[in-house]
Structure formats: C-alpha cells, structure tokens
Amino acid sequence: MTSDREWFADRVAIVTGGGSGIGQAIVQGLAREGSAVVVADVVPASAAQTAADVARTGGRAVDVVVDVSKEDEVARMVKTAVDRFGRLDLLVNCAGNLPAGKPVVDLAEAEWRSLLDVHFTGTFLCCRASMERIAEAGGSIVNLSSSYAFKGRPNGADYSAAKAGIFGFTRIVASELAPQATANALAPGPIDTPRWRTGLDPEQLAAKRTKRVKDVPMRRLGRPEDIADAALFLLGPHARWITGQVLHVNGGEFYP
Ligand code: NAD
C-alpha cells in the first residue's frame, strides 16, 4: 500500500481559489505532503502570500493570477504548472465569487451570469484544460460543490444552481477520465472562512455563528482544514476506487 507521503511527493497540483479559505488550506495540506502546488487566484496578493508562506515552510509553490471564467487565463494557468513543474496530476476547483443573496424575482441576469461564470463555467474550463494531462498522470480532480446544492433556502438560486451543476458535471468528468483517473465533488456545510464572514460586523458575525451552529450536530462550524483533509483523501491513494461521488463534509448538518 502506497503511503500518502509517497503518493503526494511526486505530484503537481493546481488549486484555484488557493489564496483564501478552503483553497488555501488545501494548498497547505498538499504542500505539507510534498506536492508542488500552483496557487491560482484572481486576487494577486492572496495568491502571492499563500505561495510565499508555503515556500517559507520548505514547500514548493508558485502563484498564478487567473480569472477562472476566462479561457485564455485558464490555459496560461495550466501551462505554468507544466512549464514550472513538468507535469500535472491534481486539480482542485475552489474559486468562487459571492452570490447576490436575492430572491429569484429580484435577481438580475448579470448577477446570475456572474456567479455561474465563475463557479460553474470556471470549473468546466479548468477541468477541460487539465483533463488530458491528469488522465496521463493517473491523477485526480476535486470540485467544490456545497450542501446548498441539495438544500432549499430562499435567496440562493444562483449559488444552488451552480453547485448542483458542479456535481452533475463531475459525474460526467469522472466517466470520461476512467479508468485512468478519478473526479469527485465535495459538498461542505458551513465553513468559517473569509467568504462566510463577508459584510458582517462582529455582532452580526457572532449571531450568525450561534444560529448556524444550532443546526450542526457536531456543535461547531467547519474549519477550512476539515475540508482540506477530505480533499486530500479524495486526491490520495486511499480513494483510488472512488470516482463520480459527492462527499458531504458538514458535521452532520445535512443527510442527503
Ligand atoms: P473564499 O472567499 O475564502 O475563497 C474563494 C477564493 O476564490 C478567493 O481567494 C477569491 O479571490 C477566489 N476567486 C473568486 N473569484 C475568482 C475567479 N474568478 N477566479 C479565480 N479565483 C477567484 O471562499 P471559501 O469559503 O474558501 O470557498 C471556497 C469554495 O468552497 C467556493 O467554491 C465555495 O462556494 C465553496 N464552499 C464554501 C463553503 C463555506 O461555508 N465557506 C461551503 C460550501 C462550499
């Protein structure tokens, strides 16, 4: 049986949205296991800081500024991985902008398209640009869906549609990558990241935390590391016969 360390040590990974929150924790986890990581993010300073932190602790990382909804920028991101590290094994699609937070009747077409462009089309473009190399390498893809792909709630149509699209899309990618490589989706529950805290003052944040924790049998919000551990499992040697699946990581908040 291959150990995690042996498996990850030779691998080259791209993590989109790698400059913050869940993506950043996945970058750190992969680097700790010895993989070389492309930290891909639309915010240059976040990507650069995350890559620099990895390098400071002895890991291998390079930052790439990319808008995942732009085909040419995605092609450049994949080229950077191959030019810099010689191969591409692993892809994690974490990049995501914020939903409009409006009911369907108030949702502008531009708002709808903007969310789907990044989360859904971005995931498609990054998979399409990487799949041949990942198949050749016998690697793996993990796409970030969400528990909101499965649950109904008001004011989240754009986000739920994108995240439900991602798990449907992931099944097809898995079938097209087989038998060489795997693809799976992760459906996190509430994870305490910068995204989750956006726009709230300390009082509002405390109220949101208290309210959300009540729904979670494990009695705490998720941490980015909870999702990074699940991502590394799906990317690693112990998940070699798992493909086309959605793994729910949510402290028991939701049972599909
Ligand atoms: P985050 O905001 O902390 O990180 C998202 C990153 O994506 C940021 O660094 C941002 O700059 C980057 N990004 C945004 N638009 C981009 C673009 N066009 N191209 C490239 N990068 C872009 O968010 P997070 O909470 O870590 O979320 C990461 C992923 O996990 C998202 O897909 C999100 O929908 C999903 N998710 C999060 C939660 C949660 O509760 N935090 C729950 C379920 C799913």
Side-chain angles (χ1 to χ4, degrees):
M1 168 80 67
T2 315
S3 73
D4 279 9
R5 187 83 200 167
E6 284 166 345
W7 168 269
F8 283 111
D10 292 336
R11 307 277 163 179
V12 176
I14 294 175
V15 181
T16 75
S20 175
I22 293 169
Q24 187 180 63
I26 294 171
V27 167
Q28 289 162 348
L30 286 167
R32 211 167 29 243
E33 292 298 329
S35 295
V37 191
V38 174
V39 184
D41 206 288
V42 76
V43 178
S46 314
Q49 185 63 55
T50 303
D53 288 346
V54 166
R56 209 181 36 253
T57 52
R60 291 177 296 155
V62 61
D63 53 304
V64 174
V65 178
V66 61
D67 178 344
V68 294
S69 68
K70 305 266 167 46
E71 188 177 21
D72 56 333
E73 296 188 21
V74 168
R76 190 170 44 78
M77 172 187 80
V78 172
K79 187 171 181 315
T80 302
V82 175
D83 288 353
R84 184 69 184 261
F85 299 118
R87 54 189 285 165
L88 177 60
D89 304 85
L90 310 172
L91 169 68
V92 185
N93 283 300
C94 258
N97 51 353
L98 288 172
K102 293 180 179 175
V104 173
V105 291
D106 294 332
L107 198 54
E109 184 181 341
E111 290 170 330
W112 169 268
R113 287 191 188 280
S114 160
L115 193 289
L116 268 90
D117 276 355
V118 176
H119 284 263
F120 190 35
T121 305
T123 297
F124 156 67
L125 290 174
C126 293
C127 287
R128 191 183 65 177
S130 312
M131 278 172 68
E132 284 177 0
R133 290 191 179 274
I134 288 174
E136 273 167 32
S140 186
I141 294 175
V142 168
N143 294 327
L144 266 289
S145 180
S146 166
S147 55
Y148 282 121
F150 300 84
K151 300 193 305 189
R153 62 152 181 178
N155 307 334
D158 48 357
Y159 189 67
S160 289
K163 294 307 197 185
I166 284 172
F167 82 75
F169 172 71
T170 302
R171 288 180 180 155
I172 306 305
V173 170
S175 67
E176 293 179 5
L177 281 176
Q180 292 103 320
T182 64
N184 292 286
L186 279 172
I191 311 299
D192 199 345
T193 64
R195 161 195 200 80
W196 201 82
R197 301 191 282 267
T198 302
L200 303 177
D201 65 32
E203 210 171 300
Q204 292 168 320
L205 186 57
K208 183 178 177 185
R209 284 200 175 112
T210 305
K211 183 165 176 285
R212 292 298 272 116
V213 165
K214 281 201 184 105
D215 299 332
V216 180
M218 293 303 287
R219 287 291 172 262
R220 67 167 173 84
L221 293 175
R223 302 177 189 117
E225 300 72 38
D226 295 321
I227 305 306
D229 286 348
L232 262 73
F233 165 68
L234 289 174
L235 295 168
H238 306 294
R240 63 193 171 276
W241 209 51
I242 300 175
T243 195
Q245 306 300 316
V246 182
L247 180 58
H248 293 265
V249 188
N250 60 21
E253 182 211 22
F254 168 74
Y255 303 107

